[in-house]
Amino acid sequence: MTLPRHIAIIMDGNGRWASGRGLPRQAGHKEGVEPVRMCIRESMKRHIEALTLFAFSSENWGRPGDEVGALMGLFVEALDREMDELHGNGVRLLFIGERQNFPVRLQTRMLAAEGRTAANTALRLQIAVGYGGRWDIANAARTLAGRCVSGAMSPADITPETLGQAVQLAGLPDPDLFIRTGGEKRISNFLLWNLAYTELYFCDELWPDFTEAGFGTALEFFAARKRRYGLTDAQLGATR
Ligand code: IPE
Ligand code: IPE
Ligand code: MG
């Protein structure tokens, strides 16, 4: 079975999971930690190189203060609880997104986790926090514009390759497989640049209900796809 090298996931449906049980939305976020552990475990089992999880979008800052506060608390708690095991398992942890709006205690933990796991190679785990695809592309454009102004490069050097080296996932293969739980069929400002040729898988399970079986179904979906990258079947046949 052909496996993806890189999987990107929008973990959606926590709020609805909780509301459906008459619980506060925060309870759904808390319940959403176990499927994260499951995806890491299942990815490692299959030697998948990279996993990118959308935990908090740039737009999620607009949610009610108590929900945002609960999420921040949950991130801190989860990091404190899971770090030793992640590091022990050889996971390299990285955060992508605009961090400066996060509570300092969280920023400190993110930096420490990245530093501590920098040499690990078993799985590259990227957590997107305060992340927006448009922000990412604008940020990359700003970086390149700065280089043009300083004379380090010229506008003619701005190409898909150089811009791709300035976005948050620079240096990684683009996600092969995208998964979104929770039933919505949209990208919600996730990795706009890197999803250009990604296979998109949507399922109805709410994130807290996402299990090994659901993860396996997504992998089967991926294995059944024929990726053409704009070419014809005949061309692909000839190059194989
Ligand atoms: C995803 O679940 C988690 C975050 C966005 C932080 P939601 O909180 O969006 O859950 P629903 O979509 O409202 O059910
Ligand atoms: C996307 O889910 C963001 C995360 C899962 C972190 P949202 O729930 O914020 O997306 P919309 O609002 O349904 O598009
Ligand atoms: Mg949602």
Side-chain angles (χ1 to χ4, degrees):
M1 185 162 116
T2 310
L3 285 170
R5 291 177 66 187
H6 182 180
I7 303 178
I9 308 183
I10 297 188
M11 314 184 285
D12 194 30
N14 294 349
R16 279 164 285 161
W17 183 93
S19 307
R21 286 166 175 73
L23 299 169
R25 293 177 56 83
Q26 285 84 307
H29 298 315
K30 202 164 172 207
E31 198 71 19
V33 176
E34 184 45 41
V36 172
R37 296 170 53 94
M38 179 278 289
C39 288
I40 296 170
R41 206 166 53 231
E42 293 298 304
S43 298
M44 294 193 72
K45 206 160 89 185
R46 295 176 172 86
H47 306 288
I48 283 160
E49 290 167 42
L51 182 62
T52 302
L53 304 176
F54 205 4
F56 191 81
S57 76
S58 41
E59 289 73 28
N60 290 151
W61 282 115
R63 292 193 178 190
D66 59 341
E67 180 171 346
V68 172
L71 278 164
M72 297 301 142
L74 190 63
F75 294 150
V76 168
E77 239 177 71
L79 270 177
D80 285 349
R81 203 181 44 233
E82 309 291 337
M83 265 314 296
D84 285 349
E85 190 179 335
L86 288 171
H87 184 51
N89 288 334
V91 174
R92 179 170 181 196
L93 193 56
L94 293 139
F95 294 88
I96 60 168
E98 175 69 274
R99 301 186 191 188
Q100 67 197 25
N101 303 322
F102 283 90
V104 173
R105 70 184 197 287
L106 189 48
Q107 291 189 40
T108 311
R109 280 167 172 82
M110 292 195 274
L111 263 181
E114 287 174 330
R116 187 172 169 205
T117 63
N120 291 349
T121 54
L123 172 74
R124 185 165 161 142
L125 174 63
Q126 266 125 186
I127 315 281
V129 284
Y131 179 88
R134 289 180 173 172
W135 166 83
D136 193 357
I137 295 171
N139 191 50
R142 196 181 316 118
T143 303
L144 297 192
R147 283 187 209 146
C148 289
V149 169
S150 75
M153 70 188 286
S154 84
D157 299 325
I158 299 180
T159 62
E161 287 68 36
T162 54
L163 194 75
Q165 283 156 16
V167 295
Q168 299 278 294
L169 291 187
L172 262 188
D174 285 338
D176 303 291
L177 172 64
F178 159 100
I179 300 174
R180 181 176 186 145
T181 62
E184 306 294 0
K185 294 184 174 62
R186 54 179 174 248
I187 304 291
S188 297
N189 202 15
F190 196 23
L191 301 161
L192 298 180
W193 180 269
N194 306 273
L195 293 178
Y197 268 106
T198 302
E199 300 298 333
L200 306 178
Y201 177 80
F202 299 91
C203 64
D204 288 332
E205 288 115 296
L206 302 173
W207 179 251
D209 293 329
F210 194 57
T211 59
E212 283 87 349
F215 189 82
T217 306
L219 291 178
E220 279 163 25
F221 160 88
F222 176 77
R225 301 271 71 74
K226 183 159 194 185
R227 307 183 80 186
R228 277 185 288 271
Y229 299 100
L231 304 185
T232 66
D233 281 334
Q235 286 176 302
L236 292 170
T239 57
R240 270 199 190 143

